[in-house]
Amino acid sequence: MTAYALAHLRPRPPLHEDVFVYMERIQATMEPFGGRFLVHASDAEVLEGTLEGGYVLVEFPDMATARAWYASDAYREILRMRTDHMEGTLVLLDGVPENYDATKTATALRTAQEG
């Protein structure tokens, strides 16, 4: 099942040169793992709440592959270039099956809660 790396990043202007180098090198770390950008620092249209910073969304074939990318020597080599100069949160998320139905999840959660 498809997995995603979702980052909420809050850069501190002006951007440090390391951040530019990180951005120039990250693609090469993802390619061996089938990772591809779906969202990369695009402007967000905030409909509810507030947003500080921006989002990056990367798709991977599955969770094991996403974990392997994050733990890879190639990614670990550049990671500090971002984390030393930018606050943020990065999570790995499992996708849902093609025929996912939220009503079934609601029913299961309600049953468990009423348990």
Side-chain angles (χ1 to χ4, degrees), residues 41-55:
S42 60
D43 291 332
E45 182 176 339
V46 180
L47 300 177
E48 296 181 21
T50 60
L51 174 67
E52 192 179 317
Y55 287 94

Side-chain angles (χ1 to χ4, degrees), residues 1 9 16-17 31 39 41 46-47 55 64 69 73 83 88 108:
M1 184 178 339
L9 303 175
H16 191 278
E17 178 61 23
E31 287 173 353
V39 174
V46 180
L47 300 177
Y55 287 94
W69 160 74
D73 290 342
T83 60

Side-chain angles (χ1 to χ4, degrees), residues 4-26:
Y4 302 92
L6 174 64
H8 175 207
L9 303 175
R10 295 171 300 284
R12 289 175 246 146
L15 291 179
H16 191 278
E17 178 61 23
D18 283 354
V19 174
F20 295 114
V21 174
Y22 171 88
M23 290 173 65
E24 292 165 348
R25 294 177 58 188
I26 191 170

Side-chain angles (χ1 to χ4, degrees), residues 30-97:
M30 297 179 339
E31 287 173 353
F33 299 93
R36 70 182 189 100
F37 284 104
L38 298 180
V39 174
H40 192 219
S42 60
D43 291 332
E45 182 176 339
V46 180
L47 300 177
E48 296 181 21
T50 60
L51 174 67
E52 192 179 317
Y55 287 94
V56 176
L57 181 63
V58 178
E59 178 184 60
F60 289 95
D62 53 52
M63 185 62 80
T65 305
R67 287 183 185 123
W69 160 74
Y70 188 79
S72 71
D73 290 342
Y75 186 66
R76 295 318 236 170
E77 183 179 308
I78 67 168
L79 180 57
R80 296 277 314 255
M81 292 177 173
R82 176 179 57 80
T83 60
D84 283 354
H85 307 288
M86 191 179 294
E87 292 181 25
T89 303
L90 175 69
V91 297
L92 297 180
L93 303 164
D94 267 324
V96 296

